[in-house]
Tab-separated table of all heavy atoms in Angstrom:
chain	number	residue	atom	x	y	z
A	1337	MET	N	0.846	-1.184	-0.031
A	1337	MET	CA	-0.029	0.000	0.004
A	1337	MET	C	0.881	1.224	-0.009
A	1337	MET	O	2.027	1.217	0.369
A	1337	MET	CB	-0.884	0.023	1.226
A	1337	MET	CG	-1.915	-1.079	1.238
A	1337	MET	SD	-2.929	-0.954	2.697
A	1337	MET	CE	-3.836	-2.500	2.622
A	1338	LEU	N	0.232	2.381	-0.381
A	1338	LEU	CA	0.921	3.632	-0.438
A	1338	LEU	C	0.248	4.612	0.539
A	1338	LEU	O	-0.982	4.885	0.367
A	1338	LEU	CB	0.897	4.191	-1.868
A	1338	LEU	CG	1.600	5.503	-2.047
A	1338	LEU	CD1	3.126	5.416	-1.770
A	1338	LEU	CD2	1.417	6.052	-3.460
A	1339	ASN	N	0.999	5.096	1.496
A	1339	ASN	CA	0.478	6.062	2.443
A	1339	ASN	C	0.439	7.451	1.748
A	1339	ASN	O	1.459	7.950	1.358
A	1339	ASN	CB	1.300	6.146	3.711
A	1339	ASN	CG	0.738	6.966	4.781
A	1339	ASN	OD1	0.070	8.004	4.532
A	1339	ASN	ND2	0.952	6.602	6.013
A	1340	ILE	N	-0.753	8.007	1.602
A	1340	ILE	CA	-0.896	9.276	0.892
A	1340	ILE	C	-0.768	10.482	1.808
A	1340	ILE	O	-0.066	11.442	1.563
A	1340	ILE	CB	-2.253	9.284	0.158
A	1340	ILE	CG1	-2.308	8.269	-0.968
A	1340	ILE	CG2	-2.530	10.717	-0.402
A	1340	ILE	CD1	-1.262	8.496	-2.057
A	1341	SER	N	-1.473	10.416	2.974
A	1341	SER	CA	-1.464	11.585	3.852
A	1341	SER	C	-2.059	11.237	5.237
A	1341	SER	O	-2.695	10.204	5.400
A	1341	SER	CB	-2.243	12.732	3.305
A	1341	SER	OG	-3.571	12.468	3.209
A	1342	GLU	N	-1.859	12.162	6.160
A	1342	GLU	CA	-2.537	12.072	7.449
A	1342	GLU	C	-3.952	12.573	7.227
A	1342	GLU	O	-4.214	13.406	6.395
A	1342	GLU	CB	-1.848	13.053	8.466
A	1342	GLU	CG	-0.545	12.561	8.975
A	1342	GLU	CD	-0.037	13.493	10.061
A	1342	GLU	OE1	0.405	14.582	9.681
A	1342	GLU	OE2	-0.096	13.146	11.232
A	1343	VAL	N	-4.863	12.105	8.087
A	1343	VAL	CA	-6.230	12.565	8.097
A	1343	VAL	C	-6.490	13.278	9.425
A	1343	VAL	O	-6.398	12.654	10.474
A	1343	VAL	CB	-7.228	11.426	7.901
A	1343	VAL	CG1	-8.664	11.927	8.018
A	1343	VAL	CG2	-6.982	10.728	6.594
A	1344	LYS	N	-6.641	14.597	9.346
A	1344	LYS	CA	-6.811	15.381	10.558
A	1344	LYS	C	-8.280	15.851	10.811
A	1344	LYS	O	-8.637	16.276	11.851
A	1344	LYS	CB	-5.956	16.660	10.496
A	1344	LYS	CG	-4.490	16.318	10.504
A	1344	LYS	CD	-3.973	16.024	11.837
A	1344	LYS	CE	-2.482	15.933	11.813
A	1344	LYS	NZ	-1.950	15.409	13.029
A	1345	ARG	N	-9.099	15.794	9.718
A	1345	ARG	CA	-10.469	16.214	9.795
A	1345	ARG	C	-11.397	15.011	9.754
A	1345	ARG	O	-11.094	14.041	9.025
A	1345	ARG	CB	-10.838	17.136	8.657
A	1345	ARG	CG	-10.130	18.487	8.743
A	1345	ARG	CD	-10.539	19.366	7.599
A	1345	ARG	NE	-10.018	20.730	7.703
A	1345	ARG	CZ	-8.894	21.173	7.155
A	1345	ARG	NH1	-8.178	20.359	6.388
A	1345	ARG	NH2	-8.544	22.405	7.333
A	1346	PHE	N	-12.512	15.038	10.477
A	1346	PHE	CA	-13.415	13.886	10.551
A	1346	PHE	C	-14.723	14.174	9.874
A	1346	PHE	O	-15.599	13.301	9.880
A	1346	PHE	CB	-13.587	13.512	11.998
A	1346	PHE	CG	-12.277	13.345	12.733
A	1346	PHE	CD1	-11.873	14.246	13.644
A	1346	PHE	CD2	-11.461	12.270	12.465
A	1346	PHE	CE1	-10.636	14.131	14.341
A	1346	PHE	CE2	-10.268	12.083	13.091
A	1346	PHE	CZ	-9.864	13.045	14.026
A	1347	ASP	N	-14.869	15.307	9.242
A	1347	ASP	CA	-16.098	15.653	8.557
A	1347	ASP	C	-15.897	16.056	7.088
A	1347	ASP	O	-16.629	16.861	6.577
A	1347	ASP	CB	-16.860	16.739	9.314
A	1347	ASP	CG	-16.023	17.994	9.507
A	1347	ASP	OD1	-14.808	17.991	9.145
A	1347	ASP	OD2	-16.529	18.980	10.015
A	1348	GLY	N	-14.835	15.554	6.487
A	1348	GLY	CA	-14.520	15.871	5.128
A	1348	GLY	C	-13.064	16.411	5.034
A	1348	GLY	O	-12.654	17.155	5.904
A	1349	PHE	N	-12.358	15.956	4.025
A	1349	PHE	CA	-10.979	16.408	3.874
A	1349	PHE	C	-10.588	16.338	2.417
A	1349	PHE	O	-11.222	15.699	1.596
A	1349	PHE	CB	-10.039	15.596	4.723
A	1349	PHE	CG	-9.927	14.142	4.392
A	1349	PHE	CD1	-9.176	13.646	3.334
A	1349	PHE	CD2	-10.647	13.192	5.130
A	1349	PHE	CE1	-9.134	12.301	3.048
A	1349	PHE	CE2	-10.591	11.857	4.885
A	1349	PHE	CZ	-9.834	11.396	3.840
A	1350	ILE	N	-9.473	17.032	2.128
A	1350	ILE	CA	-8.871	17.000	0.774
A	1350	ILE	C	-7.383	16.620	0.966
A	1350	ILE	O	-6.685	17.288	1.685
A	1350	ILE	CB	-8.922	18.385	0.093
A	1350	ILE	CG1	-10.376	18.843	-0.036
A	1350	ILE	CG2	-8.256	18.349	-1.261
A	1350	ILE	CD1	-10.579	20.294	-0.429
A	1351	SER	N	-6.954	15.575	0.314
A	1351	SER	CA	-5.568	15.107	0.343
A	1351	SER	C	-4.970	15.209	-1.007
A	1351	SER	O	-5.581	14.883	-2.007
A	1351	SER	CB	-5.462	13.639	0.818
A	1351	SER	OG	-5.820	13.546	2.182
A	1352	VAL	N	-3.753	15.736	-1.092
A	1352	VAL	CA	-3.082	15.891	-2.360
A	1352	VAL	C	-2.328	14.582	-2.701
A	1352	VAL	O	-1.660	14.066	-1.842
A	1352	VAL	CB	-2.048	17.069	-2.286
A	1352	VAL	CG1	-1.297	17.194	-3.582
A	1352	VAL	CG2	-2.819	18.396	-1.996
A	1353	VAL	N	-2.530	14.113	-3.897
A	1353	VAL	CA	-1.831	12.898	-4.344
A	1353	VAL	C	-0.485	13.348	-4.892
A	1353	VAL	O	-0.414	14.258	-5.769
A	1353	VAL	CB	-2.634	12.194	-5.471
A	1353	VAL	CG1	-1.849	11.000	-6.030
A	1353	VAL	CG2	-4.017	11.761	-4.909
A	1354	PRO	N	0.638	12.788	-4.442
A	1354	PRO	CA	1.948	13.188	-4.966
A	1354	PRO	C	2.007	13.034	-6.483
A	1354	PRO	O	1.378	12.148	-7.068
A	1354	PRO	CB	2.892	12.216	-4.251
A	1354	PRO	CG	2.166	11.807	-3.022
A	1354	PRO	CD	0.710	11.766	-3.377
A	1355	ASN	N	2.807	13.887	-7.080
A	1355	ASN	CA	2.914	13.866	-8.570
A	1355	ASN	C	3.386	12.571	-9.177
A	1355	ASN	O	3.004	12.221	-10.271
A	1355	ASN	CB	3.852	15.052	-9.041
A	1355	ASN	CG	3.281	16.373	-8.815
A	1355	ASN	OD1	2.049	16.542	-8.786
A	1355	ASN	ND2	4.080	17.363	-8.645
A	1356	ASP	N	4.184	11.849	-8.435
A	1356	ASP	CA	4.731	10.587	-8.986
A	1356	ASP	C	3.873	9.365	-8.739
A	1356	ASP	O	4.262	8.261	-9.053
A	1356	ASP	CB	6.132	10.316	-8.383
A	1356	ASP	CG	6.118	10.198	-6.876
A	1356	ASP	OD1	5.149	10.681	-6.240
A	1356	ASP	OD2	7.075	9.620	-6.338
A	1357	VAL	N	2.639	9.602	-8.255
A	1357	VAL	CA	1.692	8.459	-7.968
A	1357	VAL	C	0.714	8.423	-9.098
A	1357	VAL	O	0.057	9.373	-9.404
A	1357	VAL	CB	1.008	8.695	-6.631
A	1357	VAL	CG1	-0.077	7.668	-6.397
A	1357	VAL	CG2	2.005	8.700	-5.488
A	1358	ASP	N	0.545	7.175	-9.654
A	1358	ASP	CA	-0.506	6.929	-10.663
A	1358	ASP	C	-1.639	6.230	-9.962
A	1358	ASP	O	-1.525	5.030	-9.609
A	1358	ASP	CB	0.099	6.048	-11.769
A	1358	ASP	CG	-0.890	5.705	-12.853
A	1358	ASP	OD1	-2.057	6.270	-12.822
A	1358	ASP	OD2	-0.575	4.853	-13.710
A	1359	ILE	N	-2.752	6.928	-9.724
A	1359	ILE	CA	-3.866	6.344	-9.035
A	1359	ILE	C	-4.460	5.127	-9.784
A	1359	ILE	O	-5.122	4.324	-9.175
A	1359	ILE	CB	-4.973	7.361	-8.780
A	1359	ILE	CG1	-5.538	7.914	-10.072
A	1359	ILE	CG2	-4.488	8.472	-7.825
A	1359	ILE	CD1	-6.895	8.636	-9.913
A	1360	ASN	N	-4.217	5.056	-11.078
A	1360	ASN	CA	-4.736	3.933	-11.874
A	1360	ASN	C	-4.089	2.637	-11.527
A	1360	ASN	O	-4.583	1.541	-11.907
A	1360	ASN	CB	-4.601	4.228	-13.334
A	1360	ASN	CG	-5.389	5.451	-13.776
A	1360	ASN	OD1	-6.567	5.548	-13.547
A	1360	ASN	ND2	-4.661	6.496	-14.284
A	1361	GLN	N	-2.985	2.665	-10.742
A	1361	GLN	CA	-2.306	1.416	-10.305
A	1361	GLN	C	-2.924	0.881	-9.072
A	1361	GLN	O	-2.546	-0.199	-8.600
A	1361	GLN	CB	-0.828	1.721	-10.079
A	1361	GLN	CG	-0.071	2.237	-11.218
A	1361	GLN	CD	-0.037	1.184	-12.366
A	1361	GLN	OE1	0.246	0.000	-12.081
A	1361	GLN	NE2	-0.370	1.623	-13.550
A	1362	PHE	N	-3.979	1.566	-8.525
A	1362	PHE	CA	-4.567	1.157	-7.282
A	1362	PHE	C	-6.113	0.992	-7.502
A	1362	PHE	O	-6.616	1.470	-8.553
A	1362	PHE	CB	-4.375	2.188	-6.206
A	1362	PHE	CG	-2.918	2.444	-5.936
A	1362	PHE	CD1	-2.211	3.425	-6.590
A	1362	PHE	CD2	-2.251	1.610	-5.028
A	1362	PHE	CE1	-0.832	3.637	-6.340
A	1362	PHE	CE2	-0.877	1.827	-4.782
A	1362	PHE	CZ	-0.209	2.834	-5.446
A	1363	ASN	N	-6.806	0.348	-6.577
A	1363	ASN	CA	-8.244	0.215	-6.753
A	1363	ASN	C	-9.060	0.542	-5.491
A	1363	ASN	O	-10.270	0.579	-5.523
A	1363	ASN	CB	-8.633	-1.187	-7.238
A	1363	ASN	CG	-8.492	-2.255	-6.182
A	1363	ASN	OD1	-8.162	-2.011	-5.017
A	1363	ASN	ND2	-8.738	-3.476	-6.558
A	1364	SER	N	-8.360	0.873	-4.392
A	1364	SER	CA	-9.061	1.123	-3.153
A	1364	SER	C	-8.399	2.236	-2.333
A	1364	SER	O	-7.217	2.428	-2.429
A	1364	SER	CB	-9.082	-0.120	-2.244
A	1364	SER	OG	-9.708	-1.143	-2.935
A	1365	VAL	N	-9.227	2.882	-1.566
A	1365	VAL	CA	-8.774	3.859	-0.582
A	1365	VAL	C	-9.117	3.315	0.844
A	1365	VAL	O	-10.150	2.688	1.020
A	1365	VAL	CB	-9.379	5.296	-0.718
A	1365	VAL	CG1	-8.831	5.962	-1.943
A	1365	VAL	CG2	-10.842	5.274	-0.810
A	1366	ILE	N	-8.200	3.522	1.756
A	1366	ILE	CA	-8.375	2.992	3.118
A	1366	ILE	C	-7.987	4.019	4.121
A	1366	ILE	O	-6.989	4.718	3.932
A	1366	ILE	CB	-7.470	1.749	3.311
A	1366	ILE	CG1	-7.831	0.656	2.277
A	1366	ILE	CG2	-7.539	1.179	4.735
A	1366	ILE	CD1	-6.740	-0.297	1.971
A	1367	ILE	N	-8.723	4.071	5.180
A	1367	ILE	CA	-8.361	4.937	6.338
A	1367	ILE	C	-8.056	4.010	7.495
A	1367	ILE	O	-8.850	3.116	7.872
A	1367	ILE	CB	-9.453	5.975	6.678
A	1367	ILE	CG1	-9.653	6.909	5.469
A	1367	ILE	CG2	-9.068	6.738	7.979
A	1367	ILE	CD1	-10.680	7.971	5.685
A	1368	TRP	N	-6.859	4.220	8.053
A	1368	TRP	CA	-6.281	3.310	9.079
A	1368	TRP	C	-5.799	4.120	10.241
A	1368	TRP	O	-5.259	5.205	10.074
A	1368	TRP	CB	-5.159	2.553	8.453
A	1368	TRP	CG	-4.356	1.667	9.340
A	1368	TRP	CD1	-3.160	1.950	9.864
A	1368	TRP	CD2	-4.649	0.329	9.810
A	1368	TRP	NE1	-2.684	0.879	10.624
A	1368	TRP	CE2	-3.647	-0.113	10.611
A	1368	TRP	CE3	-5.810	-0.476	9.616
A	1368	TRP	CZ2	-3.674	-1.330	11.217
A	1368	TRP	CZ3	-5.853	-1.685	10.243
A	1368	TRP	CH2	-4.761	-2.127	11.000
A	1369	CYS	N	-5.998	3.657	11.432
A	1369	CYS	CA	-5.480	4.326	12.662
A	1369	CYS	C	-4.116	3.690	12.998
A	1369	CYS	O	-4.092	2.524	13.485
A	1369	CYS	CB	-6.457	4.224	13.787
A	1369	CYS	SG	-5.833	4.860	15.398
A	1370	GLU	N	-3.034	4.407	12.746
A	1370	GLU	CA	-1.723	3.861	13.034
A	1370	GLU	C	-1.473	3.727	14.512
A	1370	GLU	O	-0.858	2.733	14.937
A	1370	GLU	CB	-0.610	4.811	12.459
A	1370	GLU	CG	-0.541	4.829	10.953
A	1370	GLU	CD	0.035	3.583	10.373
A	1370	GLU	OE1	0.741	2.797	11.073
A	1370	GLU	OE2	-0.149	3.377	9.157
A	1371	ALA	N	-1.964	4.629	15.325
A	1371	ALA	CA	-1.644	4.592	16.772
A	1371	ALA	C	-2.190	3.337	17.417
A	1371	ALA	O	-1.521	2.754	18.290
A	1371	ALA	CB	-2.291	5.787	17.442
A	1372	PHE	N	-3.378	2.816	17.031
A	1372	PHE	CA	-3.950	1.646	17.658
A	1372	PHE	C	-4.060	0.460	16.738
A	1372	PHE	O	-4.588	-0.548	17.120
A	1372	PHE	CB	-5.297	2.014	18.224
A	1372	PHE	CG	-5.221	2.968	19.386
A	1372	PHE	CD1	-5.622	4.319	19.206
A	1372	PHE	CD2	-4.757	2.580	20.593
A	1372	PHE	CE1	-5.552	5.197	20.240
A	1372	PHE	CE2	-4.678	3.488	21.655
A	1372	PHE	CZ	-5.029	4.807	21.484
A	1373	GLY	N	-3.572	0.594	15.501
A	1373	GLY	CA	-3.642	-0.526	14.572
A	1373	GLY	C	-5.083	-0.942	14.250
A	1373	GLY	O	-5.425	-2.112	14.252
A	1374	GLU	N	-5.931	0.070	14.047
A	1374	GLU	CA	-7.381	-0.190	13.868
A	1374	GLU	C	-7.806	0.190	12.447
A	1374	GLU	O	-7.468	1.257	11.937
A	1374	GLU	CB	-8.203	0.618	14.881
A	1374	GLU	CG	-8.182	0.177	16.252
A	1374	GLU	CD	-8.939	-1.180	16.448
A	1374	GLU	OE1	-9.836	-1.473	15.627
A	1374	GLU	OE2	-8.628	-1.859	17.394
């Protein structure tokens, strides 16, 4: 997987995809809590 960004807002957010990332190589987005492995 590729970590795109931190999520700091819980009611909507905008994350910038790095220029060297081709989103067409992926099929899913996931939000994960690193602190608790949830």
Side-chain angles (χ1 to χ4, degrees):
M1337 295 180 189
L1338 181 64
N1339 187 327
I1340 295 296
S1341 68
E1342 287 185 287
V1343 175
K1344 297 280 189 188
R1345 292 181 171 97
F1346 308 107
D1347 57 355
F1349 62 81
I1350 301 167
S1351 291
V1352 175
V1353 176
N1355 291 334
D1356 61 339
V1357 173
D1358 179 8
I1359 62 162
N1360 298 303
Q1361 299 299 311
F1362 302 92
N1363 73 2
S1364 300
V1365 287
I1366 300 156
I1367 297 180
W1368 174 259
C1369 175
E1370 290 289 341
F1372 294 106
E1374 286 288 337

